[in-house]
Amino acid sequence: MGSRLDRVTKNQWFVLVGGVVGVLALVAALTGPVPDLSKDETSVKSLIAEPVGSEVTDFALPLDAPLDLLPQSDAGFYCDATMTDWLRRFGTETTPYHGIAVRSAAEDGAQLAIDNLRAVDVERVDIGPVLHFQCPTGGNADIAVLELRLDRDRRARQLVDGSQDDTRPFAFNLEPGERGNLEVRLENEDGHSYTGRIVADVSAGKTKSTVFLPLSGESTEKFDRVSFGKYSRLIVQPGRSKDLFMCELLAPGFTKLRRGAGDEFDVFDCTLEKVRSLLAEIGRS
């Protein structure tokens, strides 16, 4: 038995394998467990971004749109599919809140950092007078609500507790496999409409890249922020019954971005005749 063991231990392959095992044991002792090379490490390409529907869809309708032909919604104060199709046929859809679902496809490694979300390739366009028709849809991950002011600062800031008075620079980190949601609110008060794209910087370790973020709405590649101009004081929504709308009227000088307190806006049932009368009154102001 002893001579056989002596022959095995003197074999050159036994000595080589034994040396390799010894080196690996020493490396593991000094550096910890050997990483699982089958797992995808974090890189800037780990970001997966997809558009998700917003809770509100707005439409810009010509002032003479035939609202008397608007199909009756079966959803009460909400727009059903038939009504939405009609609004798209006669008007322009403009999504105020763009939802973006993000996740890290990495299985191991560092955090994926997203920041510096901004509007690029922005163009300012003028449109004629339009009526603001709004369709609330009624509606698990972490969510960041961002405000992007197209008329002032095209770099988004994150709202703290949903307040426009309390903001901070946007930064969002994803651990490997983690998911999150971004909600980008496009705002402006200068009476112009805007088109453009949304991008952000994505970092993984020391590597950084600028990526395009797809948006909810009619086009995932760009946004169309339609200004309702002076008629933005009036917001029309589906009403509680046929031929009856829900109207919201802001006081002169106020917009959705500059609401006052108390009685500076009013919500009430209104007929088509009342809608036409309010539009004419605003037009004369």
Side-chain angles (χ1 to χ4, degrees):
M1 175 69 71
S3 60
R4 182 180 301 173
L5 181 60
D6 289 341
R7 287 197 301 271
V8 172
T9 56
K10 289 179 182 179
N11 185 286
Q12 58 179 343
W13 292 110
F14 178 87
V15 174
L16 178 60
V17 171
V20 171
V21 172
V23 171
L24 291 177
L26 177 60
V27 170
L30 295 176
T31 64
V34 178
D36 185 351
L37 299 181
S38 66
K39 291 185 176 180
D40 292 332
E41 293 282 341
T42 303
S43 71
V44 293
K45 294 182 179 180
S46 301
L47 178 67
I48 305 297
E50 299 174 328
V52 295
S54 93
E55 292 187 355
V56 178
T57 297
D58 290 357
F59 291 89
L61 294 175
L63 296 185
D64 59 354
L67 287 175
D68 54 321
L69 301 180
L70 179 66
Q72 175 65 28
S73 171
D74 294 327
F77 292 101
Y78 303 107
C79 296
D80 60 15
T82 302
M83 178 179 285
T84 301
D85 288 344
W86 188 94
L87 291 166
R88 288 196 178 106
R89 181 156 58 96
F90 284 93
T92 300
E93 183 175 359
T94 171
T95 304
Y97 303 159
H98 289 281
I100 306 171
V102 294
R103 68 179 177 91
S104 173
E107 299 174 292
D108 199 3
Q111 288 183 333
L112 195 64
I114 310 171
D115 62 8
N116 195 21
L117 188 145
R118 59 201 184 275
V120 298
D121 301 334
V122 177
E123 296 183 12
R124 192 172 73 171
V125 296
D126 294 315
I127 64 170
V130 289
L131 164 68
H132 184 176
F133 195 99
Q134 188 175 85
C135 281
T137 60
N140 327 317
D142 190 17
I143 185 168
V145 180
L146 314 176
E147 182 185 62
L148 203 159
R149 292 297 303 270
L150 296 169
D151 53 352
R152 290 206 313 244
D153 185 2
R154 291 168 186 171
R155 196 177 305 272
R157 294 187 65 84
Q158 185 171 343
L159 301 183
V160 179
D161 296 328
S163 172
Q164 293 174 324
D165 299 324
D166 192 2
T167 64
R168 62 189 172 208
F170 166 66
F172 202 83
N173 296 324
L174 293 170
E175 296 286 352
E178 187 177 10
R179 299 171 181 268
N181 286 324
L182 311 178
E183 183 180 277
V184 183
R185 301 183 177 185
L186 303 178
E187 308 281 11
N188 67 291
E189 284 189 311
D190 62 355
H192 292 90
S193 298
Y194 291 87
T195 65
R197 299 187 305 126
I198 299 295
V199 301
D201 292 337
V202 180
S203 304
K206 296 182 180 179
T207 305
K208 177 182 287 190
S209 180
T210 298
V211 301
F212 155 74
L213 295 179
L215 303 175
S216 55
E218 285 190 302
S219 172
T220 61
E221 298 181 357
K222 67 182 182 70
F223 63 80
D224 290 291
R225 171 60 180 169
V226 176
S227 170
F228 298 97
K230 64 190 300 183
Y231 295 95
S232 62
R233 286 181 49 210
L234 176 64
I235 303 169
V236 181
Q237 297 181 356
R240 65 181 75 244
S241 62
K242 183 175 175 58
D243 300 326
L244 195 64
F245 300 96
M246 181 68 71
C247 290
E248 180 177 357
L249 184 64
L250 280 67
F254 288 89
T255 68
K256 292 193 72 175
L257 292 182
R258 291 189 292 115
R259 289 179 184 268
D263 61 354
E264 286 153 347
F265 67 94
D266 193 14
V267 178
F268 51 92
D269 292 332
C270 55
T271 62
L272 177 57
E273 291 72 21
K274 182 63 175 179
V275 171
R276 298 292 188 210
S277 173
L278 290 172
L279 290 175
E281 180 182 338
I282 294 172
R284 291 191 295 267
S285 63

